Structure formats: structure tokens, C-alpha cells
Amino acid sequence: MWRVFAMIDKAIRETRITDLHTHLYSAEFGGLLLRGVDDLLTYHYLAAETMRWADIPYEKYFALTKREQADLVWKTLFLSHSPISESCRGVLTTLAKFGLDVSSKDLNEYRAFFDAMPAEEHIERVFELSGVESVVMTNDPFDAGEGAVWEHGAHDARFHAALRLDSLLSWETAWPKLAEWGYDVDDSVTAKSIEEVKRFIADWIDRMGALYMAASLPPDFTLPEDSTRGRLIEECVIPVACERGIPLAVMLGVKRLVNPALGMLGDSLGRSSIETVEYMCAKYPDARFMVTMLSRENQHELCVTARKFRNLMVFGCWWFLNNPSLIEEITRMRFELLGESFIPQHSDARVLDQLIYKWSHSKEIIGRVLAEKYEDIRLSGWPVNEADVKRDVESLLSGNFWRFVKGEDVSAVSR
């Protein structure tokens, strides 16, 4: 089996990754690009974990400066306790990959290292260390901070756009902005509003060069749904997706603000309806859907559904599933049910440096599970050679995404 491991290790090291869903930005977006050790430490996972230990009112924590918050997280999770959670381990992996001495536990040393690094150099080093070739951002037209950059037009070509629809689907707050921007919409989803929303979506696909559209939705979301949201999706979003030939990424299972006092830290998850996925894929066979679900309990039925619909691409271990034990379980199940016809991971990174640890940890697991599956067929007498391994790894880490986005036959061997 060591030969199989060696072939997989080589293929994974040499294959450049397309990270299909992140919350990163290129350097042109200025302060929207989060990077460095303070941003790593104040990431909402670690902040929420800190709140379980630290005797500090929530509002007092949020009133602290970013550096003060990072100091508290470091003291609480790394000095007062062992940093064994996946989020804490991720910080250590990242620091170590940069060649920093984690045994020194010297936060100021780490800060000085990152503070001295210009954004462009930082991006280059992270992409090199993570093995990532390009990422897909999450881009919301309603975010004023992004507007000026899109008006300018140019940004780093390694940072692709995805048109995020969450704000648009909240019609009560969306329609006044659309009207302000010159779209002839009403406060209800009339026939006129539908045409204008479709025009708005098409305009932003063109402006961003969006590879796909995306929406995160709650566990109780269903289609068909007698609601404004349901009408917008079925009468505006899916038709434009078909007309423009781009996928719709549906991310199911988000429960917002379970603990409102925590703000963004207070989101949770719930089990979603697989019937909704079945409905979309069956009702709209000409549309392509990329789907990830947040609840562990949804993973088996999502795999089975993907076996029935070739216009469905399962992707990633999203958000609370991005933990080693769950990644391994889910990846093994997907190989067993879907072969290599899925996308095993995306980083969901909000901080540039997270690309390093999220891909380092995930590639190790993907490689280990893939080796196990190759060994199973090798023991049956099926030869496993380097060319096949290279082909499969390229599909899993990049090719499957590009072929699905472009609507190409999955048997295509390159993008």
C-alpha cells in the first residue's frame, strides 16, 4: 500500500487547487481582505470558543479593538488551555507552515512577521504554501464596500467571483435599493419586478464575471414555496442561471442568530429538506445545482440524491462540518456512493491564511481515504497506476468544479 500512498502524495503535492467557495478578497478590495495573526485569532470560531471560557460580557468583548480581542483569545485558548480544537490547531499549522516557532508562544513575534508582509507578497506565499491556484470569492452587490472595486473592474485574476443572492432574497430590504439603482421594481414581486430582478442579476453576472450564483438558506426552506423568496428563486434566479449557463450553488441548513447577543458568532445549523433538492433537480433538468448541506444528518441522503441527478454536484464539508473526523466520514461515504464524481472540499476561508491549514488538513484526509479505496480495488486485481491517480486527484481538487461550471461532460479530461 505504500506505493499507492506515494503516488497519491505526489499527485496531491503537484495538483493546484481551485477553492470553489471562500469569503476572501483580492488585494484590490483593501480592508475587506482579512489576513495575519490577529484576523486568524479573532475569526468567529475562536471568538465563540473563547466565550465558553472567558469571564467577559459579550458586549464588552465586541467593544475591544481587534488586537485586544486577539490578545484575549490567545491568552484564553492557547496559554490558559491547550489549543486542541480544530480552529486552534489551524492557527498553529499556519504559523508553522510560515516557518514561525510555535513553541515560543510569542504572539508579538508572530504579529511582527505578518505586519512586515505586503498584501501581494502575503497572497503569493499563502497560495504557494496551500497549493491553491485560484479561489472563488463571495460577492454581494448590496455590500457597499465592494461597489467601488467592481466599478473599476480589474482585480487579481486568481480571485474569481460568485454572485451571492442572500441580500436579494430578503425582498423587504432589497427592493428599495434596487429602485434606488434604477430598477423599476415594486414593493411586491409583480411581473414587472420579476423582469427587473432578472435584469439586475444578469447585469451583475456580467459585471463580476461570476462563475456561479449562490445562496445560503435556512433548514425550513422548501421548494415549491408560496413566498416571495420562493418566487424570486423559481421565477428569477433559476431562469437566469439557465439562460446564462451557470450553476446555482445552494447551501442549506443555516440557522441565523440562535444567540443574538453573539452576533455573527451566534449562527447555528439544522437539518434541511432533501425533498427540496430533489424538486429543484427534477423540475429544472436544464439547470445545474451545486449543493452542500450543513447538517451531518443530511449527508447520506444528499449522496443518494446525487446518484439520481447528473445536474447535481455535491461539494465540500461546509462550516461546522469542516472538522477532521467529519471530513473523513463524509469523504469516505461519498467515494463509496459517488466514485470521484463530487468535489470533496472547499475552504470557506474568511482569512487569507486559513487557506494553508484548511487545505493542509483536508488534503491529508482526502489522500488517506483515497488510498484506502485504491487499495480495496488493487486487492481485487485492478491495477492502480500513477497516471490514473494523477487524473483522479486533479478531478477532485479542480477539474470536477471547472467541468461542472462550464457544463462540460464529466468524462472530459481537462479544462
Side-chain angles (χ1 to χ4, degrees):
M1 190 170 180
W2 66 269
R3 283 191 66 255
V4 174
F5 271 118
M7 287 189 288
I8 292 171
D9 180 67
K10 181 174 186 291
I12 287 177
R13 280 188 286 105
E14 293 179 352
T15 300
R16 305 299 291 178
I17 297 163
T18 300
D19 192 335
L20 71 91
H21 173 57
T22 76
H23 296 270
L24 301 177
Y25 294 90
S26 61
E28 292 85 354
F29 287 86
L32 292 177
L33 171 60
L34 302 180
R35 63 190 185 94
V37 71
D38 284 341
D39 280 324
L40 277 173
L41 291 173
T42 54
Y43 177 53
H44 63 88
Y45 273 28
L46 287 105
E49 189 178 339
T50 297
M51 294 301 180
R52 293 184 56 78
W53 293 107
D55 184 18
I56 182 174
Y58 297 152
E59 62 274 12
K60 185 174 180 180
Y61 172 82
F62 292 117
L64 298 174
T65 65
K66 180 183 291 185
R67 180 155 293 199
E68 289 170 337
Q69 291 177 356
D71 285 337
L72 179 62
V73 171
W74 183 256
K75 177 180 182 297
T76 304
L77 300 183
F78 292 81
L79 302 182
S80 298
H81 301 91
S82 295
I84 63 173
S85 72
E86 178 64 4
S87 299
C88 289
R89 176 193 170 212
V91 173
L92 301 180
T93 296
T94 302
L95 297 176
K97 291 285 187 180
F98 272 113
L100 297 168
D101 179 12
V102 296
S103 69
S104 74
K105 304 182 182 181
D106 189 341
L107 181 54
N108 288 325
E109 173 193 338
Y110 310 146
R111 281 175 171 148
F113 173 82
F114 288 107
D115 288 347
M117 200 184 312
E120 292 290 355
E121 178 186 343
H122 199 164
I123 291 170
E124 290 287 346
R125 293 196 64 181
V126 167
F127 275 42
E128 178 185 357
L129 290 169
S130 64
V132 169
E133 180 178 60
S134 64
V135 302
V136 183
M137 303 179 285
T138 294
N139 303 108
D140 182 355
F142 291 83
D143 185 338
E146 293 191 31
V149 180
W150 292 118
E151 286 178 13
H152 184 265
H155 66 274
D156 189 328
R158 295 170 298 181
F159 290 75
H160 304 286
L163 175 57
R164 191 63 173 254
L165 302 172
D166 298 42
S167 297
L168 177 64
L169 297 179
S170 299
W171 188 247
E172 183 177 343
T173 54
W175 81 265
K177 294 298 295 183
L178 293 175
E180 179 185 329
W181 294 332
Y183 294 92
D184 189 12
V185 295
D186 302 312
D187 59 356
S188 59
V189 184
T190 61
K192 178 180 67 175
S193 295
I194 287 170
E195 292 307 310
E196 287 295 273
V197 169
K198 290 166 69 176
R199 182 166 72 90
F200 168 80
I201 294 171
D203 286 348
W204 276 96
I205 290 173
D206 291 340
R207 187 170 300 167
M208 294 175 172
L211 295 181
Y212 62 83
M213 294 183 280
S216 59
L217 295 157
D220 61 359
F221 169 72
T222 60
L223 281 181
E225 180 179 75
D226 184 18
S227 68
T228 299
R229 177 179 61 189
R231 290 194 64 195
L232 288 170
I233 291 174
E234 293 208 68
E235 298 180 43
C236 301
V237 176
I238 294 177
V240 174
C242 292
E243 290 165 10
R244 292 306 182 98
I246 67 173
L248 171 61
V250 181
M251 299 176 284
L252 295 167
V254 183
K255 291 170 70 174
R256 299 292 185 191
L257 299 177
V258 170
N259 183 351
L262 282 174
M264 180 183 176
L265 282 60
D267 293 345
S268 188
L269 64 87
R271 181 171 180 173
S272 299
S273 165
I274 196 65
E275 288 77 16
T276 295
V277 180
E278 294 168 343
Y279 169 83
M280 290 191 300
C281 293
K283 179 73 180 291
Y284 303 103
D286 294 331
R288 301 194 302 282
F289 299 98
M290 296 162 50
V291 177
T292 193
M293 303 179 84
L294 193 49
S295 171
R296 177 189 183 190
E297 286 69 30
N298 278 129
Q299 302 310 311
H300 180 232
E301 54 195 10
L302 178 60
C303 274
V304 172
T305 301
R307 289 174 60 89
K308 311 305 173 186
F309 296 100
R310 63 183 177 184
N311 61 336
L312 169 59
M313 175 62 75
V314 174
F315 75 95
C317 297
W318 179 36
W319 203 342
F320 298 111
L321 292 175
N322 202 326
N323 290 295
S325 60
L326 297 175
I327 294 170
E328 182 160 350
E329 171 190 315
I330 293 165
T331 302
R332 179 174 286 107
M333 175 173 59
R334 288 172 177 173
F335 276 132
E336 291 169 355
L337 282 167
L338 300 173
E340 304 102 62
S341 65
F342 66 100
I343 300 167
Q345 192 56 296
H346 64 275
S347 73
D348 205 20
R350 289 184 178 271
V351 182
L352 175 66
D353 309 277
Q354 290 174 336
L355 290 177
I356 295 172
Y357 90 78
K358 291 197 175 190
W359 280 110
S360 174
H361 296 180
S362 288
K363 285 190 292 186
E364 179 183 345
I365 297 166
I366 294 166
R368 183 166 65 245
V369 177
L370 188 56
E372 173 190 306
K373 297 307 166 190
Y374 282 139
E375 182 66 5
D376 288 344
I377 62 173
R378 190 190 68 81
L379 291 174
S380 299
W382 186 268
V384 177
N385 61 53
E386 190 169 347
D388 290 346
V389 171
K390 182 178 180 181
R391 175 202 61 203
D392 295 344
V393 169
E394 191 278 337
S395 291
L396 292 164
L397 297 183
S398 185
N400 285 347
F401 169 70
W402 286 107
R403 288 189 283 274
F404 193 76
V405 162
K406 295 180 179 183
E408 296 177 354
D409 190 304
V410 295
S411 66
V413 295
S414 70
R415 66 174 189 273

